[in-house]
Amino acid sequence: MKFSRGQIIQNSIAISLVVGVFVFLYATSAPRELYLTAGLIVAVLLLILLANRALTISLDRKLPWLTHGNKRFYSQLGIGVLVSLVIINISYFLFKITLTEDPPVGSQIATINALSILILLPIISINFGIQFLKRWKNAQLASEEFQKESIKAELNTLKNHLDPHFLFNNLNILSSLISKDQKQSQAYLEKFAEVYRIILQSNSEELVELKQELSFISAYMYLLEIRFEDTIQLSMAIDKKDEALYLPPLTLQMLIENAIKHNTISELRPLKIHVESQKGYISVKNNLQEKKVELPNSGQTGLENIKRRYSYFTSKQVEVIKNPNSFIVRVPLINISEI
């Protein structure tokens, strides 16, 4: 378990106070009962601290502060106080039956619980306030960083598609279709407009449903299939249940574009791209036929960008698998209720 700087300081202060208490008792030649009482108090406080820390870790996963603020506050306050009282009562009962001859009395138990609640409520509330402010600040910084990465990715994507060569190729294809097949040229124009509309809209969305991304890929692949004819072949195997999950916009498009950019394509050696969802992931796989001359500045920039964007939403990793005959990228599908 990693501790923050603040936690290290708090733990150091707590240890110093405990040591100080026992040094004081030793220096004043305190009776044995005081040592036992001090030891019990330290043990109880340590158990309460560990129990509440475990509770915090559990609720961080199930009820994050930023998405379940009120529910998290009252849940942790109630459970935290209840767990602390259980520890105090069990410790007091064990203390009474092992170190004294008198059994626990109802009035004593009631007094201990009342005092404990009066002490615990403000302490735990202040602790929650500090936790919330710290997590809110961290979330704000992460959100700003994510926005920068998203804008960078969207600008790169937009730049690629507004590239004069890309526009020229698509307009040239559209021009040739108009003279040959007006019906197909109309369909091509509609898909062309749809691709650009979705790209321009993506800058306002952090995540999109897989179903929406697949619809975009369908329009995008239509343009590529007209341009490359049978030299690019796309197949899909998508579980219907996965279509309601989310991913960063244009992720699949960037992976498909990456495959086209880095592989040789010909009638004899068509590029085969397979998109499949399975066990909370979606993969893009292509047969590997790398270009002999690598494009300048191509490298892993696109993949690194995708990895950084995913890191803001999930701890699951983007997986890159390169075999002699294939190249596979697996990206997690995000359940938005778990963010």
Side-chain angles (χ1 to χ4, degrees):
M1 180 186 293
K2 292 183 179 180
F3 295 100
S4 65
R5 185 180 177 184
Q7 289 174 330
I8 292 173
I9 294 173
Q10 291 173 5
N11 293 339
S12 300
I13 293 172
I15 292 170
S16 300
L17 289 174
V18 170
V19 173
V21 169
F22 281 100
V23 169
F24 173 78
L25 291 174
Y26 178 78
T28 56
S29 301
R32 176 173 173 271
E33 288 78 8
L34 282 179
Y35 278 101
L36 293 173
T37 303
L40 175 68
I41 292 172
V42 170
V44 170
L45 290 176
L46 182 60
L47 286 171
I48 290 174
L49 176 66
L50 292 174
N52 278 278
R53 183 165 291 174
L55 177 64
T56 297
I57 293 170
S58 176
L59 290 178
D60 279 344
R61 291 194 300 267
K62 298 176 181 177
L63 294 173
W65 278 107
L66 290 177
T67 53
H68 301 85
N70 289 335
K71 190 176 181 181
R72 169 65 183 272
F73 178 83
Y74 291 111
S75 296
Q76 187 157 358
L77 182 62
I79 298 172
V81 170
L82 181 62
V83 169
S84 301
L85 288 176
V86 169
I87 292 172
I88 291 170
N89 280 276
I90 292 175
S91 302
Y92 177 71
F93 179 78
L94 292 174
F95 176 79
K96 289 290 286 182
I97 63 174
T98 55
L99 300 178
T100 68
E101 296 179 355
D102 300 323
V105 180
S107 59
Q108 293 176 335
I109 294 174
T111 302
I112 287 175
N113 281 283
L115 289 173
S116 298
I117 291 173
L118 289 175
I119 295 170
L120 288 170
L121 277 176
I123 292 175
I124 293 177
S125 297
I126 292 170
N127 184 46
F128 289 169
I130 294 171
Q131 284 183 36
F132 175 76
L133 289 174
K134 188 184 296 182
R135 282 163 175 74
W136 179 78
K137 183 180 179 181
N138 291 339
Q140 286 291 102
L141 292 173
S143 178
E144 290 174 7
E145 189 65 26
F146 170 77
Q147 291 293 340
K148 291 178 183 177
E149 293 294 340
S150 294
I151 291 170
K152 188 189 297 182
E154 286 149 11
L155 285 175
N156 286 335
T157 302
L158 191 57
K159 185 177 72 174
N160 289 336
H161 288 87
L162 293 178
D163 181 88
H165 294 292
F166 183 86
L167 283 170
F168 175 78
N169 288 332
N170 281 285
L171 292 175
N172 191 41
I173 292 168
L174 181 59
S175 176
S176 64
L177 286 174
I178 290 173
S179 60
K180 293 178 183 178
D181 188 334
Q182 290 190 357
K183 186 175 181 181
Q184 189 177 36
S185 66
Q186 179 64 31
Y188 189 90
L189 180 60
E190 290 173 359
K191 297 294 184 183
F192 188 48
E194 183 179 352
V195 165
Y196 273 89
R197 177 181 58 80
I198 294 174
I199 290 172
L200 292 170
Q201 285 180 346
S202 66
N203 64 345
S204 63
E205 299 174 307
E206 295 180 348
L207 294 170
V208 295
E209 275 192 347
L210 175 59
K211 184 177 181 179
Q212 181 179 336
E213 181 80 350
L214 293 174
S215 175
F216 167 65
I217 290 301
S218 176
Y220 177 68
M221 285 304 301
Y222 181 86
L223 301 184
L224 294 179
E225 287 167 0
I226 296 294
R227 178 183 170 189
F228 291 98
E229 297 181 345
D230 296 328
T231 57
I232 294 181
Q233 301 169 9
L234 177 70
S235 60
M236 291 191 183
I238 306 298
D239 190 328
K240 282 289 183 183
K241 293 183 292 185
D242 291 335
E243 290 187 357
L245 299 177
Y246 287 75
L247 73 171
L250 309 179
T251 296
L252 297 182
Q253 184 271 335
M254 290 172 68
L255 293 175
I256 291 172
E257 188 177 74
N258 191 64
I260 295 170
K261 187 185 296 184
H262 294 282
N263 290 275
T264 57
I265 304 172
S266 66
E267 291 183 6
L268 296 176
R269 301 180 67 194
L271 182 66
K272 298 177 181 178
I273 302 173
H274 181 65
V275 181
E276 181 178 5
S277 68
Q278 190 177 33
K279 295 181 179 179
Y281 277 79
I282 187 163
S283 63
V284 176
K285 175 183 178 181
N286 63 271
N287 53 322
L288 192 62
Q289 40 201 42
E290 291 180 288
K291 291 180 178 178
K292 293 181 180 179
V293 179
E294 190 64 28
L295 294 172
N297 301 322
S298 58
Q300 299 292 315
T301 305
L303 292 176
E304 289 302 319
N305 185 284
I306 290 172
K307 289 178 181 178
R308 284 196 297 270
R309 294 173 77 191
Y310 262 98
S311 68
Y312 297 105
F313 298 106
T314 178
S315 58
K316 294 180 180 179
Q317 299 297 308
V318 174
E319 301 174 6
V320 179
I321 306 163
K322 187 175 181 180
N323 299 319
N325 299 317
S326 64
F327 187 81
I328 307 168
V329 180
R330 298 179 75 242
V331 297
L333 292 172
I334 299 168
N335 188 336
I336 203 167
S337 65
E338 295 178 358
I339 297 178

